[in-house]
Amino acid sequence: MANLSECKATPDDGTQEKEKGTPMDRLRTHLVEDYDLNPSDLPKAIVVHETMGIFWMGFVWFACYQVQPAKALAQPLKRHFPGLARSQMFSNALKSAEKTVEKRGWLKAIPGIRHADPPRLIVSLAESALIRNLGRPITVPLKLYLTWKVIEFCKKAS
């Protein structure tokens, strides 16, 4: 009696050839053939991707400093829960962080931060970290796509 696995017909469309090799080989083949990316594009892609990340971080931090989302969300809570107050632990942590910011002389050299309110700066940094982490499922693929488009544009331009 014949083994069933020997009787299966496999299509000869070349898909088996692509699936051979290590996962890294398959990824390399996919990037080179489908997206026209080469290993020499990697340093440019890293610079573009990280630059977008730094600008995104700065933008969200600035927006949180201006808008103050925690304060805006806390206002309705204060009306409904008048006994709700800032905890002592939070106040102590904020004072400690404020002292740390005051010690950092290099922060005073940055024009936009020189006259910023340290507690507000710290809270806005925490708010921006939370917002960026919540948005990561959208922003990471978007940054990868935009990086690919920038590299593609640079290849066409040169």
Side-chain angles (χ1 to χ4, degrees):
M1 188 169 196
N3 190 355
L4 287 177
S5 63
E6 294 173 356
C7 296
K8 288 183 182 175
T10 57
D12 190 22
D13 58 0
T15 56
Q16 289 179 341
E17 287 297 319
K18 283 187 179 178
E19 292 180 11
K20 289 184 181 176
T22 65
M24 204 60 198
D25 290 336
R26 291 194 304 265
L27 177 64
R28 189 178 304 117
T29 303
H30 175 67
L31 291 175
V32 170
E33 290 178 3
D34 297 341
Y35 294 104
D36 191 30
L37 294 173
N38 297 315
S40 63
D41 297 327
L42 187 61
K44 289 181 267 188
I46 290 172
V47 168
V48 169
H49 186 268
E50 292 304 315
T51 302
M52 279 192 282
I54 289 169
F55 278 108
W56 175 243
M57 180 187 76
F59 171 75
V60 175
W61 190 4
F62 174 77
C64 286
Y65 185 84
Q66 295 298 323
V67 175
Q68 299 180 357
K71 191 179 259 187
L73 292 172
Q75 291 300 336
L77 290 176
K78 281 184 180 179
R79 276 184 260 146
H80 294 294
F81 304 102
L84 190 65
R86 184 188 296 182
S87 74
Q88 186 63 36
M89 189 172 77
F90 178 75
S91 296
N92 291 342
L94 199 57
K95 286 177 188 175
S96 173
E98 188 176 341
K99 288 177 188 174
T100 304
V101 169
E102 293 294 329
K103 289 179 190 175
R104 305 288 186 234
W106 60 270
L107 282 173
K108 298 296 180 188
I110 301 172
I113 297 178
R114 185 177 302 143
H115 303 292
D117 181 30
R120 189 168 158 194
L121 197 62
I122 294 162
V123 171
S124 65
L125 177 63
E127 291 167 343
S128 71
L130 177 68
I131 289 170
R132 285 183 294 114
N133 281 325
L134 290 174
R136 190 160 285 158
I138 295 168
T139 58
V140 170
L142 180 63
K143 283 184 352 184
L144 288 172
Y145 174 76
L146 291 174
T147 300
W148 171 56
K149 286 299 188 182
V150 168
I151 297 300
E152 188 178 69
F153 175 77
C154 290
K155 281 184 169 185
K156 288 178 183 178
S158 61

